[in-house]
Amino acid sequence: MNLPNFFKRPLIAAIVGAVTIGVPAGALYMAGVTRATTAAAAPVTPVPAAANPAAMLPDFSSMVQKYGPAVVNITVVTKVSTGWDSQGDSSGDDNDNGNDNGNGSRGGNDPFGPNSPFAPFFRGMPFGFQAPQPAPVRGEGSGFIVRSDGVIMTNAHVVNGASEVTVRLTDRREFTAKVIGVDTRSDIAVIKIPAKDLPTVRIGDSRNLKVGQWVLAIGAPFGFENSATAGIVSAKGRTLPDSGYVPFIQTDVPINPGNSGGPLFDMNGEVVGVNSQIYSRSGGYMGVSFSIPIDVAMQVGQQLQTTGHVSRGKLGVVIQNVSQGLADSFGLPQPEGALVSTVEKGGPAEHAGIEAGDVILKLNGQPLRDSNELPVQIATLAPGTTVSLEIWRNHETRDMSVKLGALEDKRTAANVNPHEGGGKLGLAVRPLTADEQREGHVKGGVVVERASGPAADAGIQTGDVVLAANGSPVANADELRGAVEKSKGHVALLIQRGDTRLFVPVRVG
């Protein structure tokens, strides 16, 4: 090959590529169909898997047709502060020192200064230096209908903090959804739309899943609603950072932004998981996806519907995995169980006599192959439940009983509906810690994690501390909920914002 031809070849390839891009999409599609039709001399039939001629590659078309209408597209609007303060910079400081120059803007926002000779000519004109309103940010996700009266399950990260949630069905109908509850620990949320006789999914049992089994996902990747993707179960019981209470199902199903909250089906057409996370270095699918087991999701969803929050058991220990070296050091026959590295002072485990260095081998008679199994199983039990543990101490086993405490729920949904068809308070709150009470010089109170609906409209902000409702002190979400339920459509919240206390009236009915 001579040198000129060597350089011409990639240039020709580039030109061909450019021309191909210019071909109408319909022409490309038809060309593809023609090529496929020409290449296939026989009708398309299921192809036997190479390793097992008796096995057939699955056809998901009937499942998509039957259960696709129960999968919804969710769009949300979240108001995000621009971060500009009264001095016209982006330092995030909310202090404006109360210096109002009388023209509707703060002194720091006046580009000429309050004493400038030009100020009278420009007073009141929209320079854009005034503190901007929160900017709406839109996002999309998926969900699936679990009850025909409009109850929908999705991911917490899809709707958490949203000021507006819209659900679109496959028949193009749209509804404004009400957030029933959000649990960030499990990444599960329950919302509801005002509709009846809706198609629903069938709930399965994720415990029956096997690694290598085919599964199907339906959702809205990148906003392309009701898209179906398939793959296999890659692993079970995966524990991810900051998600220690969920034994994730790992799959190779293509999951992308917008799929969050959508269902994962098994070959029986039953939902076995809620698509939640992907592992990616680019923001897109890279072959590893994670779904919340439907058993965990339904348990959380039921609590959110009945109480508005999720209760979990607490053992009161810090654990670590047992390596071969640790097993040899403790005289264990094999590396298994959960090694207790720290025991919470005054916690349930300490009261039962568990010590640092104990290895928990069994929970209620079930062996613990990995330390990650312990917090997952304990979290599924109700506070006050008595569990039996088999532990390894001083080269021998012994049995112990522990009465579980309550794991503090730092993000409790307090979406209150005091009257049927009425408004909601729209707050997600958590109790103040002892340190926060001491630093804020307050007793009791709950801190606002998320404000939406009537509360946001009234001016309640994330970080505000609610001290009282209609004169009644508030120390947790239940007390706040009770005060709102007793109100007659209006509730006066005493809040502390920084060093300032003020009453904020909220219309809730």
Side-chain angles (χ1 to χ4, degrees), residues 1 10 26 28 42 82 84 96 98 174 177 184 201 225 307 312 315 337 339 373 378 398 416 453 477 502 507:
M1 178 185 298
L28 288 175
T82 59
W84 287 81
D96 57 21
E174 293 189 3
T184 56
V201 297
E225 56 193 75
T307 65
R312 294 182 172 89
L315 187 58
L339 173 60
E373 297 178 4
I378 290 294
R398 63 178 66 188
V416 181
L502 66 155
R507 182 182 179 89

Side-chain angles (χ1 to χ4, degrees), residues 78-81 94 134 160-162 411 426-430 446-452 455-456 459-466 495-498:
T78 304
K79 294 181 179 179
V80 179
S81 174
D94 292 330
N160 194 27
R411 290 180 180 266
L427 289 179
V429 301
R430 66 169 174 82
V446 292
V447 62
V448 175
E449 294 280 353
R450 173 172 57 86
S452 61
I460 304 295
Q461 303 174 7
T462 300
D464 287 346
V465 177
V466 181
I495 69 168
Q496 178 161 320
R497 183 177 298 165

Side-chain angles (χ1 to χ4, degrees), residues 128-152:
F129 288 91
Q130 298 183 10
Q133 296 296 317
V137 176
R138 300 182 183 276
E140 286 193 325
S142 305
F144 53 98
I145 305 171
V146 295
R147 271 186 8 205
S148 60
D149 61 349
V151 175
I152 296 169

Side-chain angles (χ1 to χ4, degrees), residues 200-246:
T200 62
V201 297
R202 290 169 51 204
I203 302 300
D205 190 342
S206 55
R207 294 170 296 183
N208 295 331
L209 275 179
K210 296 179 180 179
V211 176
Q213 180 176 333
W214 281 96
V215 282
L216 168 76
I218 303 179
F222 303 110
F224 297 111
E225 56 193 75
N226 233 246
S227 298
T229 54
I232 64 168
V233 175
S234 303
K236 294 175 61 179
R238 294 295 197 204
T239 301
L240 305 180
D242 301 323
S243 302
Y245 304 104
V246 177

Side-chain angles (χ1 to χ4, degrees), residues 288-364:
V288 182
S289 308
F290 298 96
S291 301
I292 304 162
I294 195 61
D295 310 87
V296 174
M298 293 303 291
Q299 182 190 49
V300 170
Q302 185 61 40
Q303 292 190 61
L304 290 175
Q305 292 179 68
T306 55
T307 65
H309 67 279
V310 179
S311 298
R312 294 182 172 89
K314 181 180 74 169
L315 187 58
V317 296
V318 177
I319 58 172
Q320 65 183 82
N321 218 6
V322 179
S323 64
Q324 183 63 61
L326 289 172
D328 295 339
S329 300
F330 287 105
L332 278 168
Q334 56 186 4
E336 60 182 0
L339 173 60
V340 177
S341 59
T342 306
V343 179
E344 178 185 319
K345 187 175 182 180
E350 185 184 59
H351 289 311
I354 294 178
E355 302 174 356
D358 289 344
V359 179
I360 302 175
L361 300 175
K362 293 182 180 180
L363 170 64
N364 289 335

Side-chain angles (χ1 to χ4, degrees), residues 22 80 263 389 396:
V80 179
L389 302 176
E396 63 180 11

Side-chain angles (χ1 to χ4, degrees), residues 351-393:
H351 289 311
I354 294 178
E355 302 174 356
D358 289 344
V359 179
I360 302 175
L361 300 175
K362 293 182 180 180
L363 170 64
N364 289 335
Q366 297 298 315
L368 299 173
R369 296 168 298 174
D370 189 272
S371 63
N372 293 329
E373 297 178 4
L374 182 63
V376 169
Q377 296 184 31
I378 290 294
T380 63
L381 302 173
T385 302
T386 299
V387 298
S388 60
L389 302 176
E390 181 182 294
I391 69 168
W392 180 267
R393 182 188 295 174

